[in-house]
Amino acid sequence: MRRDTIEKVGPWAVSPNLLDYGRACAEFSWERARALLDGLPGGRGLNLAHEAVDRHARGPRRDQLALRFLSKDGGRRDFTYGELAEATSRFANVLRSLGVGKGDRVFALLGRVPELYVAALGTLKNGSVFCPLFSAFGPEPIRARLEMGAGKVLVTTEGLYRKKVASVRAALPSLEHVVLAGDAAPSDIPGAHALAPLLARSDPRFEIPATAPEDLALLHFTSGTTGRPKGAKHVHEAVVAHHVTGRLALDLHDGDVFWCTADPGWVTGTSYGIVSPLTCGVTSIVDEAEFDAERWYRILQDERVTVWYTAPTAIRMLMKAGVELARPYDLSRVRFVASVGEPLNPEGVVWGVEALGRPIHDNWWQTETGGIMIANFAALPVRPGSMGRPLPGVTAAIVGRGADGAVSEIREPGVEGELALRPGWPSMFRGYLGDEARYAACFADGWYLTGDLARRDADGYFWFVGRKDDVIKSAGHLIGPFEVESALLEHPAVAEAAAIGKPDPVALEYVKAFVALKPRYAASEELRRELLGFARTRLGKAVAPKEIDFLPALPRTRSGKIMRRLLKAREMGLPEGDVSTLEGSS
Ligand code: ATP
Ligand code: MG
């Protein structure tokens, strides 16, 4: 980091591991954080893609590796910052030549392939709005999102188009262009263009138009864990948070090799799979393939990954495969491991120490927050089961509603309440697509209400209790499913667990748990009784499940979150609701 930058923004900028947390928080301001970024030349504003790519391509990082793609078949494709700047400029020129401009919506329906990353950054350069879709979505979720977001361009492949888009195309009048990765644009696809020749013909130089920090940049749909997915709007200014949180919460430094395992169809895969590491000038690994325990260990070893960002569902799958599987690999370069998306069970933190020689640092955020808000920092001891402490610049609190309905902070440590944030950080969403009322309902008395329940301990660490919708009310207790699930996970037979509340005439609700077993264990009445007893000893009678069912696997969203509402609906024989993001559906 340059000396003048340090002087401008204060020592927090160079103590990314936050040894001195209190001082970092006291000295931090988002205004000063902005000075870490360049802004567009000529004072023409702030553009996400400029900060991620072009400013490095113009400086000493030009020939440094920016992105390395690992394909399913074992191939590799590398982009230096200079090459990425050119490829994304070509893409921006392609959009311009198609008459796609500022504010127009460009959707991508692609796997983790170079075209997706080039399209995302090229779209942002052009001032258009980028919206990624999970390539595993079926026709209906794709139609619904393209319609809600008024997609003008869809970047995809011919195969994905025919399988998933052709049948709903007639219902998408705003979709003018279908840009197909590859060399061919079949004439029976209306508005089809072949991407490869278009890129080849385009100018590798592109002057990014003036971009206001408040210009719309990204649309991200939430995971749909608690209901119908919402489309969160994000602006170019978000890049300030992407950058700062990459440094502070993910400990990204010069020379790091970073691997974020999230799919760009989910906000983590964009904020941290694309933008943040590039703004920090590190090398990112992108793996096209689906989860495979041995492949993942091999990637960590062979690509010399130093910072790894993954999710509890992946960690539980690695745990399920057994820690012995990690032994033959040299994972000594892995310096920092972080997790997001769901509460990380304490067992997962312990597994990190056993398998990787490092604890896993949980952090918390949402599609709506656009970036990490609460984290276990690198230099501070991890508190297993805790989400960590707020980032400098983030004010988090536990709030409750008083008798008059007003929302206010609960300062007393250890009390459960709704997790709330003071609005004002740069990556905060600026609205839900087509749902102003729902957006407005997220704010009250100067707080943004997250919909999650948590508590804060006396040292300022936050502990996740559950989503407001998932919390179980039993005999006057509020029971967070996470607590029940974490206790079950301590049993050697349990690979995954989910807890829900079932109606009870006396207690209002009682806890029922669903359990998936590790490979060597078989479901039996005896094991069920053992688990019920095990949970009772750990949790006490009031909190422990009264029923346990075995399932081969738990229903999950495509971003890896357990869908408790679906387990509950099935249990009660109710309609399943929106299952567009359910893994395995299409
Ligand atoms: P929807 O809003 O559509 O129901 P979703 O909330 O799962 O879906 P995301 O924005 O992808 O969609 O997920 C954010 C949520 O994930 C958080 O509000 C929280 O409930 C959960 N979460 C994320 N990280 C953590 C964490 N470290 N610990 C506990 N919960 C987490
Ligand atoms: Mg949510």
Side-chain angles (χ1 to χ4, degrees), residues 222-226 230 366-368 432 448 450-452 467:
T222 61
S223 293
T225 314
T226 53
K230 299 150 276 191
Q366 311 176 300
T367 308
E368 289 86 344
Y432 284 129
Y448 162 65
T450 65
D452 285 345
R467 293 151 179 282

Side-chain angles (χ1 to χ4, degrees), residues 221-230 266-268 309 312 339-344 361-369 374 385-387 419 432 438 448 450-453 463-470 482 557 559 561-562 565 581:
F221 287 90
T222 61
S223 293
T225 314
T226 53
R228 186 161 174 256
K230 299 150 276 191
W266 178 37
V267 67
T268 305
Y309 196 22
S339 160
V340 71
E342 276 196 302
L344 178 64
H361 298 250
D362 190 16
N363 60 51
W364 175 94
W365 59 290
Q366 311 176 300
T367 308
E368 289 86 344
T369 70
I374 297 178
S386 159
M387 314 188 277
L419 177 61
Y432 284 129
R438 185 151 198 183
Y448 162 65
T450 65
D452 285 345
L453 297 180
W463 299 74
F464 184 80
V465 173
R467 293 151 179 282
K468 255 174 31 186
D469 298 18
D470 286 343
F482 176 50
T557 66
S559 50
K561 297 163 199 278
I562 297 172
R565 70 170 161 97
T581 60

Side-chain angles (χ1 to χ4, degrees), residues 99-174:
V100 178
K102 192 167 166 162
D104 286 337
R105 316 291 169 84
V106 178
F107 279 63
L109 179 72
L110 285 168
R112 287 182 289 255
V113 294
E115 288 84 351
L116 174 58
Y117 294 73
V118 168
L121 294 160
T123 299
L124 294 168
K125 278 190 173 178
N126 192 46
S128 309
V129 180
F130 183 71
C131 180
L133 298 170
F134 275 105
S135 59
F137 274 155
E140 180 45 33
I142 292 169
R143 187 206 57 75
R145 285 162 180 75
L146 274 165
E147 185 184 35
M148 255 207 263
K152 182 169 179 176
V153 181
L154 176 67
V155 188
T156 185
T157 63
E158 184 184 343
L160 285 169
Y161 181 89
R162 294 206 185 280
K163 205 163 136 204
K164 299 166 177 248
V165 188
S167 62
V168 293
R169 179 71 188 271
L172 295 169
S174 69

Side-chain angles (χ1 to χ4, degrees), residues 164-357:
K164 299 166 177 248
V165 188
S167 62
V168 293
R169 179 71 188 271
L172 295 169
S174 69
L175 185 58
E176 290 177 27
H177 304 287
V178 177
V179 177
L180 299 170
D183 295 313
S187 57
D188 65 326
I189 300 179
H193 310 272
L195 180 58
L198 275 181
L199 284 177
R201 280 204 303 273
S202 296
D203 193 333
R205 289 159 307 169
F206 180 86
E207 189 182 342
I208 297 178
T211 312
E214 283 297 318
D215 282 350
L216 197 58
L218 295 159
L219 292 178
H220 273 299
F221 287 90
T222 61
S223 293
T225 314
T226 53
R228 186 161 174 256
K230 299 150 276 191
K233 301 187 209 173
H234 289 281
V235 299
H236 280 271
E237 191 192 20
V239 69
V240 180
H242 295 149
H243 179 72
V244 167
T245 55
R247 292 240 181 264
L248 298 185
L250 298 179
D251 202 34
L252 292 174
H253 288 73
D254 272 342
D256 270 326
V257 178
F258 175 65
W259 182 24
C260 169
T261 60
D263 191 284
W266 178 37
V267 67
T268 305
T270 308
S271 292
Y272 297 98
I274 306 180
V275 182
S276 177
L278 293 175
T279 68
C280 293
V282 306
T283 298
S284 261
I285 304 295
V286 180
D287 182 30
E288 187 191 9
E290 293 306 314
F291 175 84
D292 173 271
E294 286 181 80
R295 181 180 170 100
W296 279 30
Y297 287 130
R298 204 169 332 108
I299 291 173
L300 287 171
Q301 169 186 276
D302 293 354
E303 300 304 331
R304 301 165 163 242
V305 173
T306 56
V307 180
W308 193 37
Y309 196 22
T310 188
T313 177
I315 292 165
R316 287 193 296 262
M317 286 197 277
L318 290 170
M319 286 165 73
K320 190 171 170 184
V323 68
E324 310 75 42
L325 205 68
R327 296 280 176 251
Y329 299 91
D330 176 6
L331 306 174
S332 59
R333 284 181 190 267
V334 179
R335 184 186 83 242
F336 185 71
V337 187
S339 160
V340 71
E342 276 196 302
L344 178 64
N345 315 92
E347 280 301 294
V349 179
V350 174
W351 171 87
V353 176
E354 285 174 5
L356 308 168

